[in-house]
Amino acid sequence: MYEGLCLGIESTADDFGVGIVSFDGEILANVNDVYIPERGGIHPREASRHHANVAGKVIAEAFKRAGVKPKEISIIAFSQGPGLGPCLRVGATVARALASYLNKPLVGVNHCLAHIEIGRMINRVRDPVTLYVSGGNTIVSAFEAGRYRVFGETLDIAIGNCLDVFAREAGLRSEPGKPLGAVIEELASRGRRLVPLPYTVKGMDLSFSGLLTAAVNLLREGKYPLEDLCFSLQEIAFSMLTEVTERALAHTEKREVLLTGGVAANKRLQEMLRVMAEEHDARFSVVPKEYATDNGVMIAWAGILCYKYGLTTSIERSFVKLKWRLDDVEVPWFEG
Amino acid sequence: MIGVLIKKGAEASIYLGEWCGRKVIFKKRLPKKYRLPELDRAIQIQRTKHEPQLIHKAKEAGVPTPIIYMVDLEEATIVMEYIEGKRIKDILNDLTSEERIKISRQIGKLIGRLHKSGIIHGDLTTSNMILTPEGKIALIDFGLSEQSVDLESRGVDLHLVKRALASAHYKYVNECFNAIIEGYEEEMGSDLTRDVLNRVAEIEKRGRYVAER
Ligand SMILES: Nc1ncnc2c1ncn2[C@@H]1O[C@H](COP(=O)(O)OP(=O)(O)OP(=O)(O)O)[C@@H](O)[C@H]1O
Ligand SMILES: Nc1ncnc2c1ncn2[C@@H]1O[C@H](COP(=O)(O)OP(=O)(O)OP(=O)(O)O)[C@@H](O)[C@H]1O
């Protein structure tokens, strides 16, 4: 018997994910269904339609894999923000329906917080500087005085978005199991020459839009092989990310560096951060891909942490928060 | 040997030593192993060259900054005046509210002077501000500075101040930031200040989710 079980729903962007986790951290199910657009980027409306279509199937599959019945679930957690409105609303609606039907408490979870907490749990990390890099977020954070403070973030677009837009401009296509960022990584591994592109760090914040524009312009000029452009884009962007993470590490004097989010899968980014962390005698770890990309397990786990501290969400207050900041959330369970 | 290491920052090592009989700081930028050597070298040289130029421009704008004695690009080292005093970062939280407001207003004036002269500091944290025994505030570390009169750059610069306050002085963010803006307004005037503040508010909302991606 479990002390308690939480079902977590993630629907921030293109993934609809459901995870079932026990209160002591055993992962019983992690099921995901990703929306792949025909062309172009994520259209929030189409993605939300996808989520609504697959929700029932994904939830049923999660129960099946976990081998538990709906009535054994003790709490329902959902990703309440930040994210794309229509997508978030599908998850919230499903979560509300489940919570009312099963008559169980509901917990609205901050998506960025969930990324950090699942990383701490899985990688057994205590008090890290976290670099969270995905299609929608680029955040350097660390715990200080009750919250995960944001030390640095992007001033315009997220790194994953930057890579994806460049890839689409270059006519590259993603395949199941191989997102655009991974396609760029593969091409970059064959690039040799560093092409000059703008390197923009402002304090601990970053800007990628100038880099993207410059890279796209060079692409259109057609002077450089695509491999060299991918290589240079990665070298510049990841050096910027590593530089701001290093600054946060020096500033906070923490001893651990944690890398998470979809872009964390990139081997070159991992290598740069590892080298940087070693120089500071800090321990470096990468969250495994299935828990670094958007997933329901992280929402379930963060839901459990909140629930244990009485932080449940009433139905009336379960509206989605599109721009909910990480540093708005109290983290009472944190013990460094 | 160039002196005693007093700080190993994220970017540079800071040594306190002597140069032609003067008490000076040697700021030596260190190679970063994680960066491609050619990229690393280019960034180091660019910043080592650039920093003294902007320190000089800031001084012309009436902002106390260290005197530059020498620049050695080969070694990526800047030799500059050692500024006696205390870092604002180390004292701000322990001041009385009245003193904190006075100092913040003074900081705001300095930032206003920089911006008015087309200089963006680029790294306005309280560890880059030194309160001298004469009660003046000096700004250091212009390694990420740029020349610009864009609203966006000014907005980002002030946004960084707020960010720095929120991480190191989170109890006094509003008190300090409001006083900084008062000082800033004295230099920049109310119209420009309002525009910059609107931009700061916009920047705070940005960078996360866009409608479509
Ligand atoms: N090997 C890789 N190298 C670089 N980028 C990658 C790699 N694999 C995936 N990515 C990028 O990761 C991003 C997807 O991240 P994730 O799966 O966390 O989803 P997301 O919806 O962007 O997340 P969030 O809602 O947290 O912002 C995409 O931009 C994708 O191109
Ligand atoms: N001219 C100076 N006079 C007195 N102290 C100085 C001077 N220059 C630097 N310092 C001291 O050294 C510290 C680091 O200097 P600086 O900010 O220039 O280096 P940095 O490597 O860019 O640091 P960080 O990465 O923390 O921004 C300052 O916080 C200050 O305490």
Side-chain angles (χ1 to χ4, degrees), chain A residues 63 70-73 76 97-104:
Chain A
F63 278 121
K71 63 175 197 309
E72 291 175 69
I73 296 292
I76 306 289
L98 272 177
S100 328
Y101 174 72
L102 298 170
N103 195 23
K104 299 293 176 188

Side-chain angles (χ1 to χ4, degrees), chain A residues 12-14 111 115 132 134-137 160 163-164 179-182 185 261-263 265-266 292-294, chain B residues 209 213:
Chain A
T12 311
D14 55 348
H111 176 87
H115 270 291
Y132 161 36
S134 65
N137 292 282
L163 296 173
D164 292 351
L180 287 171
E185 178 173 14
V263 184
N266 192 290
T293 55
D294 290 352
Chain B
Y209 272 88
R213 57 172 231 252

Side-chain angles (χ1 to χ4, degrees), chain B:
Chain B
M1 204 37 241
I2 52 179
V4 251
L5 182 69
I6 57 166
K7 203 201 151 205
K8 198 164 179 309
E11 233 218 307
S13 281
I14 306 290
Y15 300 86
L16 181 59
E18 248 187 56
W19 191 82
C20 299
R22 295 187 174 96
K23 198 171 173 185
V24 297
I25 289 284
F26 294 88
K27 176 169 180 172
K28 181 170 169 55
R29 289 192 152 77
L30 309 164
K32 296 289 168 196
K33 282 203 225 106
Y34 63 82
R35 277 196 295 239
L36 224 55
E38 48 183 315
L39 173 61
D40 189 55
R41 188 77 191 136
I43 292 171
Q44 270 195 47
I45 292 195
Q46 194 269 340
R47 290 184 185 167
T48 307
K49 245 198 241 173
H50 195 68
E51 182 165 4
Q53 291 167 351
L54 277 120
I55 285 184
H56 183 71
K57 288 212 155 63
K59 203 187 293 298
E60 285 178 345
V63 174
T65 52
I67 298 165
I68 303 293
Y69 294 124
M70 199 188 71
V71 180
D72 181 346
L73 285 185
E74 200 52 47
E75 292 292 319
T77 299
I78 302 171
V79 185
M80 67 182 117
E81 171 192 9
Y82 172 76
I83 297 187
E84 302 275 355
K86 296 194 173 103
R87 296 196 305 176
I88 300 292
K89 181 183 181 195
D90 301 327
I91 58 169
L92 196 65
N93 292 341
D94 303 324
L95 297 175
T96 65
S97 176
E98 200 179 325
E99 287 169 320
R100 206 164 26 239
I101 288 173
K102 185 169 154 248
I103 289 211
S104 299
R105 189 172 302 164
Q106 204 177 335
I107 292 169
K109 279 184 78 141
L110 297 181
I111 302 173
R113 279 184 203 159
L114 287 181
H115 285 192
K116 206 161 66 176
S117 312
I119 302 165
I120 303 299
H121 183 280
D123 196 9
L124 284 169
T125 66
T126 47
S127 44
N128 289 331
M129 305 169 184
I130 299 174
L131 180 65
T132 67
E134 304 85 61
K136 271 204 252 168
I137 294 172
L139 299 187
I140 59 168
D141 195 3
F142 283 69
L144 293 174
S145 301
E146 57 177 353
Q147 279 179 283
S148 163
V149 290
D150 293 348
L151 200 52
E152 175 69 15
S153 308
R154 289 172 172 172
V156 168
D157 223 18
L158 281 185
H159 166 72
L160 292 181
V161 177
K162 210 169 175 181
R163 159 69 51 71
L165 291 172
S167 55
H169 315 281
Y170 44 86
K171 284 188 196 147
Y172 311 111
V173 183
N174 291 335
E175 178 182 288
C176 292
F177 193 70
N178 290 341
I180 286 175
I181 293 307
E182 280 172 29
Y184 187 79
E185 194 168 358
E186 282 179 41
E187 295 289 332
M188 292 284 280
S190 54
D191 287 356
L192 272 177
T193 301
R194 193 188 51 236
D195 292 349
V196 179
L197 280 181
N198 285 339
R199 185 57 70 102
V200 172
E202 197 191 307
I203 291 164
E204 280 170 2
K205 289 199 208 115
R206 240 192 266 155
R208 282 156 293 275
Y209 272 88
V210 285
E212 188 179 299
R213 57 172 231 252

Side-chain angles (χ1 to χ4, degrees), chain A residues 184-265:
Chain A
I184 291 201
E185 178 173 14
E186 199 177 282
L187 285 165
S189 71
R190 285 182 260 132
R192 287 289 167 268
R193 189 160 141 212
L194 189 73
V195 172
L197 289 169
Y199 184 104
T200 320
V201 167
K202 307 200 172 196
M204 290 197 221
D205 286 340
L206 303 149
S207 156
F208 293 108
S209 69
L211 173 61
L212 174 61
T213 310
V216 168
N217 286 341
L218 290 181
L219 181 71
R220 294 199 177 131
E221 276 177 30
K223 272 203 312 224
Y224 300 99
L226 181 57
E227 286 81 359
D228 285 350
L229 287 177
C230 291
F231 171 72
S232 306
L233 183 62
Q234 280 202 97
E235 286 301 319
I236 305 265
F238 297 167
S239 294
M240 287 162 54
L241 288 166
T242 309
E243 179 174 352
V244 295
T245 308
E246 181 176 34
R247 293 177 137 241
L249 190 65
H251 183 88
T252 58
E253 295 175 353
K254 307 258 180 202
R255 309 306 309 271
E256 295 162 305
V257 176
L258 183 68
L259 174 63
T260 192
V263 184

Side-chain angles (χ1 to χ4, degrees), chain A residues 113 117 143 146-147 305-306 308-311 329-335:
Chain A
L113 175 98
E117 290 300 349
F143 185 86
R147 294 179 190 199
L305 296 171
C306 293
K308 286 186 175 167
Y309 279 81
L311 303 171
V329 187
E330 303 270 1
V331 188
W333 55 81
F334 189 94
E335 299 166 5

Side-chain angles (χ1 to χ4, degrees), chain A:
Chain A
M1 256 329 270
Y2 296 104
E3 182 200 337
L5 290 177
C6 178
L7 179 143
I9 300 176
E10 159 60 35
S11 71
T12 311
D14 55 348
D15 284 283
F16 186 86
V18 172
I20 299 178
V21 179
S22 79
F23 279 21
D24 52 15
E26 189 185 335
I27 296 167
L28 305 182
N30 183 23
V31 184
N32 236 355
D33 195 315
V34 59
Y35 156 77
I36 300 178
E38 280 293 307
R39 53 174 46 247
I42 307 175
H43 299 279
R45 245 168 240 292
E46 286 170 24
S48 72
R49 235 172 272 135
H50 160 269
H51 294 350
N53 287 337
V54 302
K57 189 185 84 189
V58 174
I59 290 170
E61 178 67 20
F63 278 121
K64 197 172 123 203
R65 291 209 197 153
V68 298
K69 301 209 168 52
K71 63 175 197 309
E72 291 175 69
I73 296 292
S74 357
I75 50 176
I76 306 289
F78 71 104
S79 180
Q80 197 172 3
L84 305 171
C87 300
L88 284 169
R89 274 178 214 111
V90 174
T93 308
V94 173
R96 263 179 233 126
L98 272 177
S100 328
Y101 174 72
L102 298 170
N103 195 23
K104 299 293 176 188
L106 187 64
V107 184
V109 167
N110 181 290
H111 176 87
C112 306
L113 175 98
H115 270 291
I116 296 175
E117 290 300 349
I118 197 66
R120 286 180 63 220
M121 194 257 269
I122 301 255
N123 293 50
R124 301 183 188 283
V125 167
R126 283 168 52 225
D127 185 11
V129 167
T130 305
L131 175 64
Y132 161 36
V133 276
S134 65
N137 292 282
T138 308
I139 295 179
V140 181
S141 73
F143 185 86
E144 217 162 276
R147 294 179 190 199
Y148 291 111
R149 308 276 162 187
V150 175
F151 283 88
E153 64 191 318
T154 178
L155 294 163
D156 37 60
I157 56 174
I159 174 63
N161 190 15
C162 172
L163 296 173
D164 292 351
V165 172
F166 179 80
R168 285 197 291 271
E169 286 287 334
L172 303 172
R173 298 291 300 260
S174 61
E175 296 159 27
K178 204 186 206 185
L180 287 171
V183 178
I184 291 201
E185 178 173 14
E186 199 177 282
L187 285 165
S189 71
R190 285 182 260 132
R192 287 289 167 268
R193 189 160 141 212
L194 189 73
V195 172
L197 289 169
Y199 184 104
T200 320
V201 167
K202 307 200 172 196
M204 290 197 221
D205 286 340
L206 303 149
S207 156
F208 293 108
S209 69
L211 173 61
L212 174 61
T213 310
V216 168
N217 286 341
L218 290 181
L219 181 71
R220 294 199 177 131
E221 276 177 30
K223 272 203 312 224
Y224 300 99
L226 181 57
E227 286 81 359
D228 285 350
L229 287 177
C230 291
F231 171 72
S232 306
L233 183 62
Q234 280 202 97
E235 286 301 319
I236 305 265
F238 297 167
S239 294
M240 287 162 54
L241 288 166
T242 309
E243 179 174 352
V244 295
T245 308
E246 181 176 34
R247 293 177 137 241
L249 190 65
H251 183 88
T252 58
E253 295 175 353
K254 307 258 180 202
R255 309 306 309 271
E256 295 162 305
V257 176
L258 183 68
L259 174 63
T260 192
V263 184
N266 192 290
K267 291 284 185 293
R268 178 61 179 135
L269 177 59
Q270 294 177 7
E271 181 190 341
M272 283 193 195
L273 286 161
R274 181 172 300 117
V275 168
M276 183 279 287
E278 267 167 19
E279 279 188 79
H280 291 263
D281 290 319
R283 186 181 147 231
F284 172 66
S285 53
V286 192
V287 179
K289 207 197 269 184
E290 65 221 281
Y291 303 116
T293 55
D294 290 352
N295 65 88
V297 167
M298 66 178 193
I299 302 300
W301 178 240
I304 291 168
L305 296 171
C306 293
Y307 176 73
K308 286 186 175 167
Y309 279 81
L311 303 171
T312 55
T313 310
S314 65
I315 299 276
E316 301 76 62
R317 298 193 50 83
S318 65
F319 47 82
V320 300
K321 307 182 195 173
L322 308 196
K323 307 235 169 186
W324 194 10
R325 286 189 60 90
L326 173 63
D327 45 15
D328 277 345
V329 187
E330 303 270 1
V331 188
W333 55 81
F334 189 94
E335 299 166 5

